[in-house]
Amino acid sequence: MKNTTHAAENFLTGTPLTIDIKSSFEQAQELFSLAGEELLVLTDGAAFKGVLRRRVLEEAMRFGLKLDLADLLEKIPAGEDFVREALKNPFSAYVLLKKDSAKSLITLKDAFAFAWEDLSENFSLEFPEELSEICTKASEAAKALGLRVFLVGGIVRDLILKRPSFDIDLVVTEKARYFAENLAQKLGARLVKTSLFGTFKLAWRDYDIDIAQARWEYYEAPARLPKTFPGPLRQDAFRRDFTINSLFLCLKTRRLIDYYGGLKDLCAKKLRVLHILSFVEDPTRIFRAARYATRFNFAFSSDTFRALSLALKLKVLSLLSSARLRNEFLRIMEEENPSLAIIFLAENRVLNELFEKVPDKFEIKRFFALATKMRLSPAEKIEAFALFLALREKDLERLDISGHKKKALWQAKLSLKEKAAFLKDPKIPLSEKVFFLEKMPREALLAASFLDEAFILKCLKCFEIKPGLSGEDLQKLGVKQGPEIGKMLKALRAAKIDGTIKPGEEEAFLRKEFADVFSS
Ligand code: ATP
């Protein structure tokens, strides 16, 4: 049964969870508990000593045995053919050694996650030319450094769904920095950013390439940022938001690695959390869920609904900082059709957790249709939306609007409300309303739901109307420098807005309306 596809090298899965052999039982137990693994690699310095089984440790602790971790270590038989070893191996695990240190701890879970058949037989994944070039260069860089590289997350999902994507996430089994530098050099790309989490960002043509080492993480409390550590691929899959975003594509073998049934969910159009506390540990995933469900027209799995109910019941959204919340709204506003995700959040009672009064779906649709016609930027849409929902000035802070901006928006909302009768009065010339409205931030106009859409759009066009003559032109006509010039220009503009003069009639209009100025 010597088969190269079974060779352990093909299952290189990233840094194993490791503990020093001199650690205490309690330290080992804590690591087991935080990571949810069943096996840890025991090391002495960098040298591999054996593995520790969770059940064994817990039994030793239950029995109150006065022993060291070294007493509990067990050996795993080594061999070249992983599958054969795994079948014989009572631990169902295999350690890949390099020199005498452990490069990977491969479990049966890994073996099941690696696609056995060649993907291209079942899916014609079409790599656009530039993406192919990135993948080829990434493979070369990985080979040069003796590591493995995988496409992961959204790009794999979008390749399978045949949707274009310019955000590429690459995961490497080790040495992320060297890999990033090597790839940047091969592509002639810029290394634009490094982060505290040891991730790197390259910019190449239209592509953003994020590079990270596979890692595991745990949360100390709901809605906190996680603690992260280098880890194996199966942990890196588990820390993700949904099964459809947890797929890896190995660039060496071009095979899919699917730990949590992401492929099946993609085909079934299902959005499934990795575990039931997913939204509790990271409530931003709720907003991500709204985006994916509406962008792809995917349904929540029943567990995802249960996870959402749990998170809402535990009120974890209140623990999210306003900056993080704003970031999620920003990403929603960047969607092609943000109203769908917002309606989804409203109908699933998520918005109620954040704002006292939530508009119905018709109001939300009207709001976004107008926002699109007004060509508001995603950031302006957030501000308009926050103002639309806010009952008090303080409510704006929930979406991280503060300081001068908060005051200006709130003041605009109050002024608009005060002037509602004036704005709706058909007897008042349009120009007067335009002069009032153009002093307001554009976002505030959108939030004034008593104004009808056609009126707002008409006013926006009027904001662009010019008087037709300049101050200099007026001086050439003999008007002296002074406050009269300003008044005349304003009158000209009003006349244009109200449609009482046509182009070319400016001078005649001024000579009639401001006869005294011309005669003095
Ligand atoms: P989009 O098309 O919306 O950009 P994406 O999948 O590329 O989707 P990113 O925000 O770029 O989304 O994240 C990349 C990957 O990182 C995701 O596919 C997911 O695997 C993981 N991820 C991002 N945010 C989270 C989160 N809050 N919790 C868990 N995993 C996350």
Side-chain angles (χ1 to χ4, degrees), residues 283 286-287 311-312 315-320 325 350 353-354 398:
I286 295 173
F287 302 91
L312 295 179
K315 305 226 169 287
V316 288
L317 283 172
S318 64
L319 303 173
L320 263 188
L325 201 54
V350 177
E353 291 292 316
L354 302 169
R398 199 62 194 102

Side-chain angles (χ1 to χ4, degrees), residues 152-155 157-158 165 167-169 210 217 219 236-242 244-247 278 282 284-285 288 291-292 295-296 324 328 331 335:
V152 65
I155 182 70
R157 175 199 72 211
D158 290 343
S165 178
D167 286 328
I168 297 183
D169 284 291
D210 283 304
E217 63 188 25
Y219 290 79
D236 198 282
F238 189 68
R239 70 179 188 82
R240 293 180 184 270
D241 46 2
F242 305 102
I244 59 162
N245 284 343
S246 72
L247 292 162
S278 182
D282 181 357
T284 65
R285 293 175 187 159
R288 298 177 65 82
R291 280 197 290 125
Y292 297 131
R295 188 199 300 166
F296 302 132
R324 289 184 74 197
E328 293 309 318
R331 296 198 64 181
E335 289 287 314

Side-chain angles (χ1 to χ4, degrees), residues 310-345:
L310 203 56
L312 295 179
K313 189 166 105 182
L314 296 170
K315 305 226 169 287
V316 288
L317 283 172
S318 64
L319 303 173
L320 263 188
S321 71
S322 51
R324 289 184 74 197
L325 201 54
R326 183 192 175 90
N327 192 43
E328 293 309 318
F329 273 89
L330 191 60
R331 296 198 64 181
I332 289 179
M333 300 305 173
E334 286 165 352
E335 289 287 314
E336 200 177 315
N337 198 344
S339 66
L340 297 179
I342 296 288
I343 290 170
F344 185 94
L345 291 171

